[in-house]
Amino acid sequence: MDSNDKDRGTIKWTSMMMPEHVAMLKDYLKNEYEAEEKPIMDEQVMEQIFMSIEESCEQHQTIDLHVHEKIKREKIRGRVTYIHFLDRYILMDTEQLFKRKIKFEDVVGMEFVE
């Protein structure tokens, strides 16, 4: 072997990856490290949350709804416009002026906004 040969380490392998694959890998690693487990909710706590949601719907109050979707917890601020008990979802008018459909099983908390 010649002493002038230099190993470029990982640099030589990065040229073999497409930019889409690099972006997907970065996104995967970001989600992997930021993932939160969905809390296990007690039936009585859930019943209390949904009674408060019904009350806010009747009184047209703005609420913060805490939702666990996929890997993260998210806070959605808005007004509940419709609760569909048969299909188990809530319709909300959010502050961003669009309607949002939220499944019952994704709800993990709720707060009234003053």
Side-chain angles (χ1 to χ4, degrees), residues 36-88:
E36 296 178 14
E37 283 191 34
K38 185 175 179 180
I40 299 170
M41 302 295 288
D42 183 28
E43 274 188 43
Q44 291 177 339
V45 173
M46 289 301 294
E47 188 174 332
Q48 178 105 24
I49 290 171
F50 283 103
M51 286 175 61
S52 298
I53 291 172
E54 278 186 87
E55 180 184 330
S56 74
C57 182
E58 290 170 0
Q59 297 177 1
H60 304 290
Q61 288 182 313
T62 302
I63 61 169
D64 283 338
L65 199 60
H66 300 277
V67 178
H68 191 277
E69 290 183 336
K70 297 177 186 165
I71 60 167
K72 288 186 184 177
R73 182 181 283 200
E74 181 182 358
K75 181 169 75 171
I76 304 167
R77 181 169 283 187
R79 288 194 172 119
V80 176
T81 56
Y82 184 70
I83 303 172
H84 198 287
F85 291 101
L86 212 52
D87 291 335
R88 301 181 52 79

Side-chain angles (χ1 to χ4, degrees), residues 4-34:
N4 291 333
D5 290 338
K6 294 182 182 175
D7 184 26
R8 295 183 298 155
T10 58
I11 295 173
K12 64 184 172 190
W13 296 108
T14 56
S15 64
M16 294 178 71
M17 293 182 70
M18 296 179 77
E20 295 86 10
H21 294 149
V22 173
M24 284 175 29
L25 186 60
K26 284 182 182 178
D27 189 42
Y28 170 76
L29 291 174
K30 177 184 168 211
N31 289 337
E32 187 69 26
Y33 288 109
E34 293 180 1

